[in-house]
Amino acid sequence: MTVIYSNFHDSDTYLLRGIWEGLDARVIELRLDDRYSEERGRLDDPTISYDSSRKEREEINRAIESEEDTLIVCGHGTEDGCLSPHFDYTLSSSNKDMIRAKRFIGIWCNALTFAKKNNVSGFFSSMFITNTVEADYLGMGNVGKERIKESEMKFVNTLNSLLRNNLPMKKWKEAFTSIIDTTNEVEVFNFSSLIYIE
């Protein structure tokens, strides 16, 4: 399993770590404070010049191309792909044809739109509410932070369990639908928009 994780140092992306917690995963974590040096690779000294764009693209593309079992790409994103803290996208139309994995999981806002637009198969999130600002914007102002956090924890724990138990991806939507707390509008919205595309 390979995970390409865009960590924007916010609670939304931090929580995603629960998806692969305790699983045998190679994690490529892109953080806002990372720096690259030709000689030393990834480092945290902002005084050293680096070309994070080129080096990170190479590392990400190698990881996408070499993973044959399970590939997870997650973070913040748009219909054009999953965003990186340092350059445009970790996954976009420019490198989506490199995916060789039997199971591909895209978790970012609008991942489903990206998948449909680019004919990518796998399991995807659509718009995913992770805070009260988004909930208010979508007319769910009565759902507080605690209920949103509960729903997020349920999401990552369920996805972790599905991966751990190797349940076929075509059954994942049903697994999420069966555990929706209908009293939580955010959870209904988030879980109902998860889709598997063959």
Side-chain angles (χ1 to χ4, degrees):
M1 177 187 304
T2 298
V3 179
I4 299 171
Y5 169 44
S6 290
N7 181 357
F8 281 78
H9 297 286
D10 58 2
S11 59
D12 302 349
T13 56
Y14 183 78
L15 189 74
L16 293 171
R17 296 167 185 257
I19 295 171
W20 58 88
E21 186 177 336
L23 300 175
D24 183 20
R26 172 185 175 215
V27 180
I28 299 172
E29 181 177 351
L30 306 170
R31 299 177 308 217
L32 284 169
D33 59 353
D34 279 349
R35 299 291 184 264
Y36 252 97
S37 161
E38 283 289 331
E39 302 79 37
R40 294 169 43 205
R42 195 179 294 277
L43 54 105
D44 292 328
D45 184 350
T47 63
I48 296 175
S49 63
Y50 70 105
D51 178 4
S52 66
S53 177
R54 182 176 61 81
K55 296 297 278 182
E56 286 176 4
R57 282 182 200 273
E58 289 171 4
E59 181 181 9
I60 289 164
N61 287 342
R62 274 193 308 272
I64 290 171
E65 202 166 32
S66 65
E67 181 57 59
E68 294 180 359
D69 183 52
T70 303
L71 175 64
I72 301 171
V73 177
C74 59
H76 289 298
T78 71
E79 65 182 37
D80 293 322
C82 188
L83 292 164
S84 163
H86 305 131
F87 62 88
D88 292 336
Y89 294 97
T90 60
L91 183 71
S92 68
S93 60
S94 68
N95 62 351
K96 55 98 178 168
D97 290 331
M98 294 179 175
I99 299 171
R100 304 278 178 264
K102 291 183 288 187
R103 297 191 302 183
F104 176 68
I105 301 147
I107 306 298
W108 69 85
C109 284
N110 301 303
L112 177 59
T113 306
F114 166 81
K116 287 179 176 177
K117 192 165 100 171
N118 291 283
N119 297 317
V120 177
S121 60
F123 188 76
F124 303 95
S125 63
S126 190
M127 176 60 193
F128 202 89
I129 300 169
T130 57
N131 57 59
T132 56
V133 173
E134 292 170 340
D136 289 346
Y137 177 74
L138 292 168
M140 300 174 212
N142 295 333
V143 180
K145 282 192 272 190
E146 297 78 25
R147 298 296 317 269
I148 293 171
K149 181 78 167 181
E150 274 174 34
S151 177
E152 288 178 313
M153 291 303 297
K154 191 182 211 179
F155 169 75
V156 298
N157 290 336
T158 301
L159 191 49
N160 180 286
S161 177
L162 293 170
L163 288 163
R164 184 181 304 276
N165 294 312
N166 209 21
L167 191 73
M169 289 178 80
K170 63 184 176 187
K171 296 185 176 185
W172 289 10
K173 170 73 175 183
E174 182 184 330
F176 276 101
T177 302
S178 70
I179 60 166
I180 291 175
D181 176 354
T182 56
T183 67
N184 185 334
E185 290 177 278
V186 167
E187 188 168 303
V188 171
F189 180 89
N190 287 344
F191 287 18
S192 296
S193 65
L194 297 170
I195 300 291
Y196 171 64
I197 300 174
E198 266 188 273

